């Protein structure tokens, strides 16, 4: 209110000066005319009264207009509503509202064009990724058959290298798809009861070749066969796959036999899944930035396959699902990731 009053006085300063200047000139004129004895106090008070009333009415209109302007939500329905609400506005204020409406329609049109182009671009990228995934699956199938059939003209060491590189391509494609799907997350998730122990075991089994190739082994530090949490099974699997992949990747980088440990803790109505490794670890400086997009840090310079997208996607998904991801680490000793879920009631 105080700021509004000061702004109002500033806006009306010219009007105030002109009123009092005119009144002063009239008084001076009649005072100098000594031939006529005219009472000037009454007209002066009348002018002052009219001025004060006019200023009060103008101030009320001014404050109402500013209040409405500050509360406008600039979408079409909101603007149409406010268009009929300005009952106290003057012509200048009418012009302001007209200009706002015009700008709103213009920007809304530009936003619609941008959203349409963005959607088309995502659909094209998604189609290209799906087509590429088909080729990746064929390579996986062929290398698997060659490996299983002990083909005499195939070097298994080289075959493993092909499988490893193919896995990197597949991992990158899945990250792209997950990132694209985040934009439609609100239309594509179902919160349900999920046995997190079984889901972790399924994910580890899915990545068994990746574990074996990197000479890293999973270890379950829990005897529980069941721990029910509330989550979306599909999106949660994206989180698990990414974190497990990172644990294996950075354990292998230590160039010695590695382990990835899995543990379940239940605290009140929260279930914690703890995934830890004995890999190269993360520096304290990098820990503060691991959830930022495209951040790879010191480890990214050591491992060229680091993209800086995986943990960013995990963090975004966890936020949308109401989960919490915490990371602690020590360079040379390993990393611990804690995912907190709401337990089944």
């Amino acid at each position: 209110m105080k700021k509004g009053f000061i702004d109002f006085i500033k806006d009306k300063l010219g009007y105030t000066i002109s009123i009092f200047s005119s009144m002063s000139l009239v008084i001076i004129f009649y005072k100098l005319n000594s031939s006529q004895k005219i009472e000037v106090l009454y007209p002066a008070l009348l002018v002052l009264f009219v001025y004060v009333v006019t200023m009060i009415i103008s101030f009320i209109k001014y404050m109402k207009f500013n209040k409405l302007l500050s509360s406008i939500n600039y979408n079409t329905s909101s603007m149409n509503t406010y268009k009929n609400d300005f009952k106290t506005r003057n012509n200048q204020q009418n012009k302001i509202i007209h200009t706002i409406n015009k700008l709103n329609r213009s920007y809304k049109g530009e936003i619609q064009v941008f959203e349409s182009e963005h959607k088309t671009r995502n659909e094209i990228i998604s189609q290209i990724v799906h087509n590429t995934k088909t080729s990746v699956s064929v390579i996986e199938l062929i290398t698997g058959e060659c490996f299983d059939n002990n083909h005499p003209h195939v070097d298994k060491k080289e075959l493993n290298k092909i499988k490893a590189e193919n896995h990197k391509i597949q991992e990158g494609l899945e990250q792209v798809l997950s990132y694209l799907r985040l934009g439609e997350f609100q239309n594509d998730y179902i919160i349900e009861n999920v046995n997190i122990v079984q889901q972790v075991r399924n994910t580890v089994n899915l990545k068994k070749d990746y574990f074996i190739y990197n000479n890293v082994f999973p270890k379950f530090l829990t005897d529980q066969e069941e721990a029910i949490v509330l989550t979306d099974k599909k999106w949660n699997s994206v989180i698990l796959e990414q974190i497990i992949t990172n644990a294996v990747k950075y354990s292998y980088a230590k160039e010695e036999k590695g382990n990835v440990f899995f543990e379940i803790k239940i605290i009140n109505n929260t279930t914690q899944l703890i995934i830890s490794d004995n890999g190269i670890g993360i520096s304290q400086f990098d820990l503060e930035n691991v959830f930022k997009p495209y951040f790879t840090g010191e480890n990214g310079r050591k491992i060229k396959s680091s993209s800086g997208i995986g943990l960013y996607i995990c963090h975004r998904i966890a936020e949308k699902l109401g989960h919490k991801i915490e990371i602690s680490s020590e360079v040379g000793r390993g990393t611990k990731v804690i995912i907190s879920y709401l337990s089944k009631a």
Side-chain angles (χ1 to χ4, degrees), residues 27 50 54 59 98 107 168 181 317:
I27 292 173
V50 172
T54 303
F59 178 69
H98 174 73
Y107 284 123
K168 291 178 184 178
R181 290 169 184 156
I317 294 172

Side-chain angles (χ1 to χ4, degrees), residues 230-248:
L230 295 173
T231 187
D232 178 275
K233 195 170 186 178
K234 182 183 72 174
W235 284 108
N236 192 54
S237 69
V238 174
I239 297 176
L240 295 180
E241 287 182 25
Q242 181 60 53
I243 292 176
I244 292 173
T245 296
N246 283 359
V248 175

